[in-house]
Amino acid sequence: MLRFPFFSVILLLLGLSLAAQESLLPPGTVWTDQNGLHVNAHGGNVIHVGDTYYWYGESRSRVGGPMPGVSLYTSKDMLHWHDCGIVLSTVADTACPIQRGCVIERPKVVRCPHTDNYVMLFHLELKGKGYAAAMMGFADSPSPEGPFTFRRALRPTAGKWPMDFKRKDRKLARGHRPEDYKDWWTPSWEKAVREGMYVARDLKGGQMSRDQTIFVDDDGKAYQISSSEENLTLHINELTSDYMGFTGRYVRVAPGEMNEAPTLLKHNGTYWLITSGCTGWAPNEARMYSAKSIWGPWTRHPSPCRGPKAKTTFDGQGNYIFRQGQRFIFMADRWQPKKLSESPHIWLPITFDAEGVPVIEWKD
Ligand code: DGJ
């Protein structure tokens, strides 16, 4: 008779500790879905529609070999994630830019308020070409659940100069030829980069576009921010009102500073760009820029990260800033290049200091 209450208490304590575990997703650990598998959605983003969170990301092969495409996980509480499968699949058709063997990175999905369509933009590298293609792709779906239909892949803003390039700037840019600069990182090469040598080189075929994100402003206008010009310079590209193309209006940010992993938030009228340096899959120190207008001028700030491991962005690389009301979550990947599917996720709150500058601190 006396044993029963004793074991009940033990069971109760066990139950409480399990419940406590389930109420946490510690950053940098394995985050399991309904099947007990790590959430295989990397470099992506989260949107909130109705009572559901939709998390899209790179689905990396768990067994090696070509990537399946873009995955979707859903949740009602941001804690219990349900694997909904692949919503944009790589295909067998060898004439299609997203044929199996291609690389799809940093997919982002947003709802277009003008069309009520869900639009996906992603970085695309063609099969067998390494990272040379530097393209981006468009896909869409009438529902956040997908599936998404692939529409096209291209390099942005073909034939267009940056908005702030006057006649004399165009002439200067055209005056440099990459073949005359065999060595990178010399003062004359740096000057040529700043003056738009690679913009001029890629003018006809479109600008390179690798790491990328989408930002939707308060007025419903959307922008793609991408690593362009050999990853040396960021471009902010305005999207058309249906978010399925480019208007051709764009500016360059931080020419020659080598930024990847762009993420963007707006707080109290100021735009904050949080990026990384370019060190492949290895982590590096985050960078930050601010501007009062999306078109700049952009000012550089120290990294927003504070505390231990701030110098390596907590061993991660940002992929998106999820916003709900006045709360912002910095989403990052702790890349495991030998097994990308298992790369842990790091989600941390972004707070603002007394001057309104974003701060990211580690939270267990
Ligand atoms: C860093 C980028 O941010 C990733 O998305 C990926 O492209 C790797 N480089 C590849 O080395």
Side-chain angles (χ1 to χ4, degrees), residues 38-88:
H38 182 56
V39 173
N40 190 3
H42 307 281
N45 81 322
V46 169
I47 58 171
H48 190 209
V49 184
D51 63 353
T52 306
Y53 295 94
Y54 295 83
W55 182 359
Y56 306 89
E58 299 160 20
S59 175
R60 296 291 187 160
S61 170
R62 292 194 198 265
V63 290
M67 68 184 294
V70 177
S71 54
L72 168 65
Y73 289 77
T74 58
S75 173
K76 299 286 181 198
D77 56 8
M78 279 203 141
L79 192 60
H80 301 90
W81 290 97
H82 186 92
D83 182 359
C84 299
I86 302 300
V87 288
L88 179 71

Side-chain angles (χ1 to χ4, degrees), residues 20-207:
Q21 273 174 14
E22 279 203 356
S23 66
L24 290 172
L25 281 182
T29 63
V30 173
W31 292 9
T32 48
D33 62 12
Q34 81 276 19
N35 303 315
L37 294 171
H38 182 56
V39 173
N40 190 3
H42 307 281
N45 81 322
V46 169
I47 58 171
H48 190 209
V49 184
D51 63 353
T52 306
Y53 295 94
Y54 295 83
W55 182 359
Y56 306 89
E58 299 160 20
S59 175
R60 296 291 187 160
S61 170
R62 292 194 198 265
V63 290
M67 68 184 294
V70 177
S71 54
L72 168 65
Y73 289 77
T74 58
S75 173
K76 299 286 181 198
D77 56 8
M78 279 203 141
L79 192 60
H80 301 90
W81 290 97
H82 186 92
D83 182 359
C84 299
I86 302 300
V87 288
L88 179 71
S89 299
T90 55
V91 296
D93 178 1
T94 54
C96 182
I98 60 165
Q99 70 165 299
R100 200 143 301 131
C102 73
V103 176
I104 292 177
E105 289 187 348
R106 297 185 176 267
K108 304 286 180 284
V109 173
V110 287
R111 178 181 161 271
C112 176
H114 310 294
T115 58
D116 207 16
N117 210 20
Y118 290 82
V119 174
M120 181 191 290
L121 265 65
F122 54 91
H123 167 198
L124 175 67
E125 295 296 347
L126 302 176
K127 181 183 178 188
K129 305 267 186 222
Y131 277 82
M135 297 169 89
M136 53 81 53
F138 288 96
D140 66 346
S141 166
S143 153
E145 274 117 50
F148 284 75
T149 306
F150 170 71
R151 299 293 178 189
R152 65 210 162 99
L154 47 77
R155 280 187 170 188
T157 59
K160 304 284 183 193
W161 289 100
M163 280 163 58
D164 53 350
F165 263 43
K166 310 267 177 317
R167 187 189 290 257
K168 66 167 184 5
D169 303 307
R170 299 173 185 191
K171 201 169 160 213
L172 217 52
R174 279 211 169 99
H176 302 292
R177 295 183 317 162
E179 52 275 30
D180 294 338
Y181 298 91
K182 293 275 179 281
D183 294 325
W184 282 31
W185 308 112
T186 63
S188 59
W189 173 87
E190 283 174 4
K191 183 168 176 288
V193 170
R194 279 196 303 275
E195 290 178 352
M197 169 167 70
Y198 295 114
V199 176
R201 181 196 67 184
D202 295 335
L203 193 72
K204 200 160 165 229
Q207 299 297 320

Side-chain angles (χ1 to χ4, degrees), residues 8 66 80 105 154 162 223 226 231 245 253 255 258 275 283 305 318:
S8 301
H80 301 90
E105 289 187 348
L154 47 77
Y223 303 86
S226 73
N231 284 4
V253 179
M258 281 212 116
T275 68
C305 302

Side-chain angles (χ1 to χ4, degrees), residues 211-229:
D211 280 13
Q212 61 109 45
T213 193
I214 302 187
F215 175 75
V216 179
D217 212 335
D218 308 328
D219 59 3
K221 277 198 176 167
Y223 303 86
Q224 185 230 19
I225 300 106
S226 73
S227 298
S228 188
E229 301 178 38

Side-chain angles (χ1 to χ4, degrees), residues 53 322 351 359:
Y53 295 94
F322 173 71
T351 55
V359 172

